[in-house]
Amino acid sequence: MDTLANDDTWQRLWASREAIARQSINGLFAEDAARFDAFSLTAAGILFDYSKQPLSRATRDRLLALARAREVARLRDAMLAGEPINRSEGRAVLHTALRVPAGEIGWAGPDIAREVEDTRSRMAELAEAIRTGRRTGATGQPIEHVINIGIGGSDLGPRLVLEALAPLADGPSVHFVANVDGVELQRAMACCDPERTLVLVVSKSFGTVETMANAHEAMAWLRRRVPADDVLERQVMAVTANLERVSELGLDPALALPMWDWVGGRYSLWSAVGFAIMLGIGPSAFAELLAGAHAMDRHFSEAPLDSNMPVLMGLVSVLNGTLLGRRSQAVVPYTERLGRLSAYLQQLVMESNGKSVDRDGRSISLPTAAAIWGQTGTPGQHAFFQALHQGTDVVPVDFVGVARPVAGEHGDPLELTANLFAQSQALMQGRGDPGMAAERHCPGNRPSNTLLLEALTPSSLGALIALYEHRTFVEAAIWGINAFDQFGVELGKVLATDLKPLIAGGQAPDGVDGSTAGLIARYRDWRG
Ligand SMILES: O=P(O)(O)OC[C@H]1O[C@](O)(CO)[C@@H](O)[C@@H]1O
């Protein structure tokens, strides 16, 4: 049995599992007039309301005892200090060091602080030179477009941030290309003037096949369309932790922006991986993004466990997902600006914690990361909310709202906010008047969190993302997981490499399973 299932504090929670599942959330409010105050807190510009969870004060105490027993605080401090907590890869995990303000040393010490600051200054200088037109393309034209080629962590974070903060965009337009199917790249190339375009090739490993294929394609386009011998030198930049491989693409490693092996891909938007963000909204807005994340880091590091937002959020998630077996979680932001949030969180949460062995290689018998999904409200209300209210599965929801609308954006904030609050209310209260037809009955007692941002600013967005990063860390600590490797992704990559010659070749695909052989045969047939 794994260490969590064996833990006394877990076993006590397990013993009260049925009672917690039956716990009436409405009843908890009826008993405790101060429930909202006792089950909500504010940090770094975010209000976290977890009062609509099946949590009595006693259950919360038991969860906090679990956090202590699983040494969440010690593991957090080890991460912040740069201990090699990613044991399977022998690496430190220091995305928090990327957010330490300029001039401060931070938890990880002066060497790391210096490296981070040097790179940040280089990014800012370069970004300003490009944004002001001092640094031009190879034919002297200003850079008006950026094509960011990367996938996973080298795409999702910068994409989320630039979509969320689009009203602040005052630099070149940024186009994101992740998929190797060619659609995004074609679309980007169709609307960019090649003489005014900078291509960023963003890859921690600089070996990801999709990214390299798209980079080759984009570089060929620049070579074809820009009449200058030094076009690649002037208009293609690499961002990577693997500087040696940069020259394989014909680029100068000296012009590359570095990242480090102590930053995981899905935790990397704060590094040079976020260069597109800096180009799009400028170095000072980027600095505000980092400052918001740093404010959440400080809160995570300093607040006692019982008033620590990521800790409480992680415990609530473990309660729902592991104790009560609710195997998916919906994330519903009430602003189109955060439309990319659930996609971003899918990688953050599921690539980090979608694992079934602990950090010592023992198998875990209890359920770990739940599936994350969602879309924006109110459109989501007219799609999947029916199942949230009346379906057979209980799906905990994170509602994300913004109090102050973005200046200059129209829409009806009152309508939006009324819908946001009404949905969590309806999920909790349900509806069951006597004599009501069964199909109209809503069982209620369905849990949700609400995260309310005062405004959607670089700072609050940074804090929101850092909150989810730390929530993911807390859950990993409870389960005993190393959240910072991703070996599961490797197998598919290896098999794709093996299959390519079989799919392309004329010979019968020997040595593969029947389904794959059948698919290859039909593909070849239809492809002609
Ligand atoms: O930045 P790279 O090395 O190209 O990797 C891209 C992504 O691929 C993965 O390794 C696997 O999906 C992610 O962890 C990573 O963010």
Side-chain angles (χ1 to χ4, degrees), residues 151-154 203-206 208 265-266 347 351 486 489 493:
I151 199 164
S154 298
S203 173
K204 181 180 171 185
S205 60
F206 229 69
T208 303
R266 54 194 171 272
Q347 189 198 16
E351 195 167 273
Q486 58 283 317
V489 188
K493 291 185 191 172

Side-chain angles (χ1 to χ4, degrees), residues 498-499 502 507-513 517 520 524:
D498 295 348
L499 285 180
L502 295 182
Q507 79 279 31
D510 294 332
V512 295
D513 61 273
I520 291 174
R524 281 192 197 152

Side-chain angles (χ1 to χ4, degrees), residues 91 109 132 158 283 340 371 381 385 403 420 469 472-473 478 489 498 511 521:
R91 292 174 183 166
T132 55
R340 192 69 55 175
Q381 293 175 198
F385 269 59
L420 160 63
E469 286 178 350
T472 304
F473 180 86
I478 301 285
V489 188
D498 295 348

Side-chain angles (χ1 to χ4, degrees), residues 149-156 202-212 239-242 259 264-268 273 347 351 484-486 488-490 493:
I149 298 179
I151 199 164
S154 298
D155 167 75
L156 287 163
V202 186
S203 173
K204 181 180 171 185
S205 60
F206 229 69
T208 303
V209 285
E210 295 96 318
T211 299
M212 294 305 124
V239 177
T240 185
N242 195 348
M259 62 177 295
R266 54 194 171 272
Y267 299 86
S268 67
V273 167
Q347 189 198 16
E351 195 167 273
F484 302 102
D485 59 15
Q486 58 283 317
V489 188
E490 302 301 322
K493 291 185 191 172

